[in-house]
Amino acid sequence: MRVLPVWSRVRRWVPAVVIALAALVDLLTPTSVSSAPLLAVAPVTAVSLFGPVGIIGVGLTAMVVQAGLAFVDGTYGWQGDAAVQITLASVTALAVGLNRSLRMQHASASRARYAAEVAQRAVLPSPPSRLGDLRIAARYVPAEDMALIGGDLYVMQETPFGVRAMVGDVRGKGLSAVTAVSVDIGVFRYAADHEPDLPALVGCMEEALLRESQRREGLDATEGFTTALIAQFDDDLSQVHIVNRGHPAPVLLHADGRARVLEPEEAAPPLGIAGLGAWASPVATYPFPPGAMLLCFTDGVTEARDPAGVFYDPADRVPRMVQSYLRQTGHFPDPSTVLDLLARDVSRHSGGAPQDDQALLALHRPLPQTDLLARPR
């Protein structure tokens, strides 16, 4: 959990406030009213704030305050107050034990997170920041804090046929989804270098996913499929060719902030269900002018809902954010900035944590240097 900077400073005073409140209650109430139960709360509040020494210090302070208040009230007695002191000491010892347990759990969680980060880098390596003149940024936003990798994927590669990219989303969760992701990326990397056209590349992936589904027991041909968006750029980046197999349509952003949703003219099902029939992989070609950016994402973006149940619409919200950025800075945001804006806006729309994993990929063709110098500031 993220802790706000102000609260991280203020919360360390909580045990002292509890002890002060207990003393105030004791002084303002009749002698028959004991503040010992409130004093016992102080060591417990210190469990997540201090180490063992700090917790013991809080406990000893509570014990001294309790004895002092009893003397002030004139009610101190060895029999009754000794029991209270033993209780405070026991609660302090319990708080130290809880602190140790929390630290062990935190260490275990840190090791698990590190292992997940290593697995993420192995299965889903970060693409380069540029391939030729194409600028690239990628983000993986997990729905669960500790689950750094799931069924969403992206991959970029420079090939003999131009720069090729894929964004995909595997159906399912857990290890089976990660296995399918590794198959998708592995086959894409091989086929992208050897298949001259996109339909042939998609066919290789289709065949590999079908074989993988047949190897896994209990998984029929309708499970483990992958929605995929595969793009290929001309050598001069003047055009982008796209095959969309059941994936959310990308958004093409122009240098002035205008946007166009690249919806496929002909629908095609996800990859990995060839056992249910044969489908073509139609290729759509679009101009990719200087200054344009292709923004690709998985359904964790398009299916994010606000409290009223309204889905997030990147075609509406992203251009407004980009145009606002243009007005404020005088220049088009770089791919990394666009993904930061998008991720934050989706989080605001859904009211906090992501509702599903999100894979984000931004591919930008910068303006020529002369155009950059000519743009008004």
Side-chain angles (χ1 to χ4, degrees), residues 9-329:
R9 294 192 296 269
V10 172
R11 66 186 187 137
R12 299 181 68 85
W13 293 95
V14 170
V17 171
V18 171
I19 292 174
L21 181 61
L24 184 63
V25 168
D26 191 271
L27 294 173
L28 296 179
T29 56
T31 55
S32 59
V33 178
S34 173
S35 62
L38 187 56
L39 285 169
V41 173
V44 177
T45 62
V47 168
S48 62
L49 304 178
F50 307 115
V53 174
I55 296 171
I56 293 172
V58 171
L60 290 175
T61 302
M63 294 170 68
V64 170
V65 169
Q66 189 277 328
L69 290 172
F71 277 114
V72 170
D73 290 341
T75 60
Y76 189 85
W78 288 108
Q79 185 173 359
D81 287 286
V84 173
Q85 293 287 303
I86 291 173
T87 299
L88 290 174
S90 300
V91 172
T92 301
L94 176 62
V96 171
L98 289 174
N99 176 267
R100 177 177 174 80
S101 177
L102 286 175
R103 287 175 179 272
M104 291 176 63
Q105 291 180 15
H106 178 73
S108 177
S110 296
R111 289 193 295 271
R113 186 176 182 87
Y114 175 75
E117 289 174 349
V118 172
Q120 183 185 42
R121 288 193 293 267
V123 177
L124 192 65
S126 298
S129 60
R130 60 182 296 173
L131 286 174
D133 291 332
L134 192 67
R135 304 298 191 271
I136 304 163
R139 294 283 186 282
Y140 192 94
V141 184
E144 300 179 13
D145 186 51
M146 291 304 298
L148 297 183
I149 186 168
D152 292 18
L153 64 104
Y154 45 70
V155 59
M156 291 285 305
Q157 188 160 319
E158 193 167 18
T159 76
F161 316 105
V163 174
R164 287 175 168 177
M166 179 175 70
V167 178
D169 186 1
V170 176
R171 176 179 174 178
K173 300 290 183 183
L175 185 59
S176 62
V178 176
T179 301
V181 166
S182 65
V183 171
D184 283 333
I185 293 177
V187 174
F188 175 86
R189 288 199 178 280
Y190 176 82
D193 278 338
H194 293 84
E195 297 297 343
D197 59 74
L198 292 183
L201 187 158
V202 172
C204 284
M205 296 190 64
E206 188 93 67
E207 183 180 351
L209 285 172
L210 183 59
R211 287 199 305 269
E212 179 63 26
S213 67
Q214 292 171 345
R215 292 191 188 103
R216 287 181 279 176
E217 296 181 3
L219 195 64
D220 60 40
T222 63
E223 294 287 339
F225 62 78
T226 301
T227 68
L229 181 80
I230 300 175
Q232 175 179 308
F233 295 87
D234 288 351
D235 290 337
D236 60 0
L237 301 182
S238 61
Q239 295 185 121
V240 58
H241 313 276
I242 293 177
V243 170
N244 191 328
R245 293 296 299 264
H247 198 78
V251 174
L252 180 63
L253 294 168
H254 292 273
D256 58 2
R258 292 180 298 109
R260 176 188 178 188
V261 181
L262 305 185
E263 293 283 359
E265 296 181 1
E266 182 180 345
L271 302 175
I273 57 174
L276 302 180
W279 289 271
S281 296
V283 180
T285 300
Y286 305 95
F288 195 59
M293 179 181 294
L294 186 66
L295 185 60
C296 309
F297 36 78
T298 54
D299 60 10
V301 171
T302 55
E303 294 183 359
R305 303 190 191 195
D306 65 10
V310 178
F311 289 107
Y312 186 85
D313 184 4
D316 173 58
R317 299 178 69 110
V318 172
R320 283 190 285 167
M321 289 188 293
V322 170
Q323 289 167 2
S324 175
Y325 187 93
L326 276 167
R327 288 192 298 269
Q328 293 174 14
T329 66

